[in-house]
Amino acid sequence: FFITVFNTFFGFSQTVSTVAGTTSGYLDGSVNIAQFKDPLGICTDNDGNIFVADRSNNRIRKIDASGTNTVTTIAGSGVEGYADGIGTSAIFGAPKGICIDALGNLYVTDFWNFKIRKITPAGIVTTLAGSTQGFANGNGTSAQFGYLEQICIDALGNLYVADAGNSKIRKITPSGTVTTVAGTTSGYLDGVGTIAKFDYPNGICIDGNNNLYVAEYFSHKIRKITPTGVVSTIAGSTWGFTNGQSTTAQFRYPTGIGRDTSGNLYVTDSGNNMIRKITLSGMVSTYTGSENNGYLDGSLNNALFSNPWAIHIKNNVIYISEGGSDKIRKIDTNLNTNDFNLEKFAVYPNPNNGSFEISLENECSITIYNFIGKKVYFENNIIDNKIINTNLPKGIYIIEIKDNIEKSNFIKMIIK
């Protein structure tokens, strides 16, 4: 049993690795020698190529996934300023956020220029929206933005941007028409549309139902905006670090946010140097990282981060831009999904204090074994979300979840 379980477990293990980047600077070339300087925004295309808004280098970089494993500059001269143009003849002013549409066009938030820039697959850089600093809705360059942070895109090509300088969430249509989705003056208030208040919204992502999720830097909260503009708080309270349910949890300057195919949210908690996870039920846990600032690849339990900034999730692979170490990191898994559906099972937090939550889609049974294979807990006919409270001593345990409907099973290591 011991050998079988641990062969299974290590086959499922997730690890943090470095995709590209070494020391702070600017250098194209192999991922092992390439340099970034404050890489912030990050996204990927359908071929697995990674695009990075390299803020302090004033450039847009590409990490090739075709097997060459090289970093190149696709736009930006390196000089801070503003100019449309082709490739490296274009000029940016601290690009911060980046996303990509179905045709391969990139959209960049140009921080010091208060504009949304567009880069075609041919490298042609234009200004989609924005002019001088200020606030105005309108079309194209008649619109005004404040300091722009992260950006995301929906299935129809509409862009949503965290206009942190104006404490608002803005929408830009493919034709460049800018409107305000939510937010008014700086502060904190849930509500509808322009009644709600944000305090420096930073990270932003969208789900398949067009709900927006916002990582709010100065209020240390995670907010949700429905398609009808209803703003609510789904996690976070005051500045600090605490795992727990919804608004009992604490964050410290959350900057980025992404969503997996199961609907779980992942937050770059930059002040805590962690990646935090928020389940559908609102349970907040530490996914990886610790309060210790550092840089270390390895298992989720051992990895260290330094000011992780933006997060992008594609096919359940997590990509992270790390401003403190000037690197691009990745959390990958070689999990085989033939035996069960990832979307049907979740166990959190892990490690835990003896109490943990299981999120299930079908009716299941659970069995917990200790490290030598002895059964120490069993419960049958569990449905939906279930809090499991054990009186087990500290140690390493194996939890087996059996789906009573589909006759599949899931084995995972848990730590108390």
Side-chain angles (χ1 to χ4, degrees):
F1 178 86
F2 178 90
I3 295 172
T4 300
V5 166
F6 276 85
N7 281 341
T8 302
F9 174 75
F10 285 115
F12 290 178
S13 63
Q14 290 181 290
T15 58
V16 179
S17 60
T18 299
V19 177
T22 53
T23 55
S24 179
Y26 169 67
L27 182 66
D28 282 338
S30 165
V31 294
N32 296 323
I33 65 169
Q35 291 177 306
F36 298 89
K37 192 173 184 180
D38 296 330
L40 297 185
I42 186 169
C43 69
T44 63
D45 64 16
N46 290 330
D47 295 323
N49 300 300
I50 304 170
F51 300 90
V52 179
D54 194 2
R55 182 184 66 170
S56 292
N57 281 320
N58 297 296
R59 293 176 166 100
I60 307 303
R61 316 283 292 280
K62 176 183 178 181
I63 305 172
D64 194 285
S66 65
T68 60
N69 292 319
T70 56
V71 178
T72 56
T73 299
I74 63 170
S77 66
V79 176
E80 184 180 293
Y82 168 68
D84 287 335
I86 299 175
T88 55
S89 68
I91 301 176
F92 295 87
K96 275 198 160 186
I98 191 168
C99 67
I100 191 167
D101 68 16
L103 300 176
N105 298 296
L106 293 166
Y107 300 90
V108 177
T109 56
D110 200 0
F111 187 81
W112 290 122
N113 289 315
F114 313 102
K115 294 175 176 65
I116 307 295
R117 313 288 291 278
K118 178 180 178 179
I119 309 171
T120 69
I124 300 171
V125 180
T126 56
T127 300
L128 177 66
S131 53
T132 56
Q133 183 181 13
F135 170 69
N137 289 322
N139 191 66
T141 55
S142 67
Q144 290 179 302
F145 298 95
Y147 297 114
L148 296 170
E149 291 288 346
Q150 302 299 315
I151 189 169
C152 65
I153 190 168
D154 68 16
L156 299 177
N158 298 297
L159 300 168
Y160 299 87
V161 62
D163 187 355
N166 284 316
S167 306
K168 295 175 174 64
I169 304 301
R170 314 285 292 278
K171 176 181 177 179
I172 307 107
T173 67
S175 63
T177 300
V178 179
T179 55
T180 299
V181 175
T184 172
T185 56
S186 179
Y188 167 66
L189 182 67
D190 286 336
V192 180
T194 55
I195 294 174
K197 293 184 179 182
F198 297 89
D199 195 357
Y200 209 89
N202 199 317
I204 189 167
C205 71
I206 191 167
D207 68 17
N209 296 316
N210 287 333
N211 296 295
L212 294 166
Y213 301 90
V214 178
E216 197 171 357
Y217 190 78
F218 283 129
S219 78
H220 316 288
K221 294 176 177 66
I222 307 303
R223 315 285 290 279
K224 177 181 178 179
I225 310 171
T226 69
T228 58
V230 178
V231 180
S232 61
T233 302
I234 61 173
S237 53
T238 55
W239 178 96
F241 167 67
T242 303
N243 288 322
Q245 185 69 34
S246 189
T247 54
T248 66
Q250 290 178 303
F251 297 87
R252 188 179 287 138
Y253 304 114
T255 51
I257 190 165
R259 181 180 177 274
D260 69 15
T261 56
S262 300
N264 301 299
L265 296 170
Y266 298 80
V267 177
T268 44
D269 191 1
S270 67
N272 284 316
N273 300 302
M274 296 171 181
I275 310 302
R276 311 286 290 281
K277 179 179 179 180
I278 309 171
T279 67
L280 290 171
S281 66
M283 179 65 73
V284 179
S285 61
T286 300
Y287 190 65
T288 185
S290 77
E291 291 180 274
N292 296 322
N293 185 316
Y295 163 67
L296 181 67
D297 286 337
S299 70
L300 296 183
N301 290 334
N302 295 326
L304 295 177
F305 296 85
S306 178
N307 192 29
W309 193 263
I311 191 166
H312 173 78
I313 303 175
K314 188 68 170 285
N315 299 326
N316 285 339
V317 177
I318 301 174
Y319 301 89
I320 299 160
S321 62
E322 194 169 0
S325 72
D326 299 296
K327 294 176 176 63
I328 305 303
R329 313 283 290 279
K330 179 174 76 169
I331 303 174
D332 205 349
T333 176
N334 53 1
L335 182 63
N336 185 329
T337 59
N338 291 333
D339 294 331
F340 64 94
N341 187 336
L342 280 175
E343 298 185 11
K344 299 179 185 293
F345 302 94
V347 179
Y348 44 86
N350 187 23
N352 59 71
N353 62 4
S355 177
F356 56 91
E357 184 172 354
I358 297 180
S359 177
L360 306 166
E361 180 175 302
N362 294 332
E363 179 186 293
C364 295
S365 67
I366 71 163
T367 306
I368 300 176
Y369 301 89
N370 65 16
F371 202 67
I372 62 173
K374 181 181 178 181
K375 183 191 295 185
V376 293
Y377 185 94
F378 175 79
E379 189 168 351
N380 200 12
N381 302 322
I382 300 172
I383 58 173
D384 298 324
N385 290 359
K386 170 75 173 179
I387 301 294
I388 305 296
N389 292 298
T390 67
N391 294 316
L392 299 173
K394 291 183 179 180
I396 298 173
Y397 296 89
I398 301 300
I399 183 169
E400 181 181 29
I401 302 173
K402 291 187 177 181
D403 189 320
N404 296 337
I405 306 299
E406 297 185 1
K407 307 301 180 184
S408 56
N409 70 315
F410 168 41
I411 297 174
K412 183 177 180 65
M413 176 187 284
I414 57 173
I415 301 173
K416 178 183 178 184

